[in-house]
Amino acid sequence: MAHGFMLLATGVIFLSLVLTSDAAFDVTKSYRCRCVCPKGHHQTQDQAVFIEKEADPRSCKCSNVVPNATIEFCLQCKCQVESFNSVLIKFIIVLILVFFSVLLGVLIWQCLLEVYQKKRRAVALSVSARDVVRPVSAAS
């Protein structure tokens, strides 16, 4: 029980260090620009989707995302900024890692406990009938 508590405390400390680091606060939101365009002369699908990762929200325009795009082609595209919270994603990943670490700790603890109990049973069963001393009765 004490080992499980230590693992949980270690996970909480690790989680707080990750969330309070400077890098976590520098990138609290990440952005990407996603442009959906109609079928062009070089695509075989009905629509083409172009994504610019780590884009500046102000520069989410077809001319910045779609390579070799003409003005006429860009007029038919719909571009939008998508954002997601990277701190929340980091928190969930760390939470999952802590959960699996605790499960691994419990598994190791159970394996060690089982080995220890088998050794104790082996020592207890090694006593033979010759080693047992019969009590001397008073009537003899």
Side-chain angles (χ1 to χ4, degrees), residues 24-32 55 57 82-87:
F25 288 112
D26 288 345
V27 187
T28 55
K29 283 204 173 201
S30 297
Y31 298 97
R32 71 179 186 178
E82 297 176 345
S83 66
F84 51 93
N85 192 343
S86 60
V87 173

Side-chain angles (χ1 to χ4, degrees), residues 110-123:
Q110 289 293 324
C111 290
L112 292 175
L113 188 63
E114 184 177 335
V115 169
Y116 176 72
Q117 287 178 348
K118 281 184 180 179
K119 284 183 181 179
R120 287 193 65 194
R121 273 190 239 128
V123 170

Side-chain angles (χ1 to χ4, degrees), residues 16-85:
S16 63
L17 288 175
V18 167
L19 291 178
T20 58
S21 68
D22 292 336
F25 288 112
D26 288 345
V27 187
T28 55
K29 283 204 173 201
S30 297
Y31 298 97
R32 71 179 186 178
C33 183
R34 181 176 186 259
C35 293
V36 178
C37 302
K39 179 180 170 182
H41 57 74
H42 59 283
Q43 284 99 13
T44 58
Q45 302 151 343
D46 291 340
Q47 289 184 339
V49 178
F50 299 95
I51 296 175
E52 177 71 28
K53 295 179 181 177
E54 299 177 13
D56 184 21
R58 294 169 290 200
S59 66
C60 185
K61 297 177 183 136
C62 174
S63 59
N64 297 336
V65 177
V66 180
N68 303 325
T70 61
I71 296 173
E72 294 84 22
F73 184 73
C74 282
L75 290 175
Q76 300 171 1
C77 295
K78 295 179 184 176
C79 295
Q80 62 184 11
V81 176
E82 297 176 345
S83 66
F84 51 93
N85 192 343

Side-chain angles (χ1 to χ4, degrees), residues 7-21 24 86-103:
L7 283 174
L8 184 63
T10 305
V12 169
I13 291 170
F14 178 72
L15 179 67
S16 63
L17 288 175
V18 167
L19 291 178
T20 58
S21 68
S86 60
V87 173
L88 180 63
I89 294 170
K90 285 182 185 181
F91 174 75
I92 291 172
I93 289 172
V94 169
L95 196 64
I96 290 170
L97 289 175
V98 167
F99 176 73
F100 282 116
S101 298
V102 169
L103 284 179

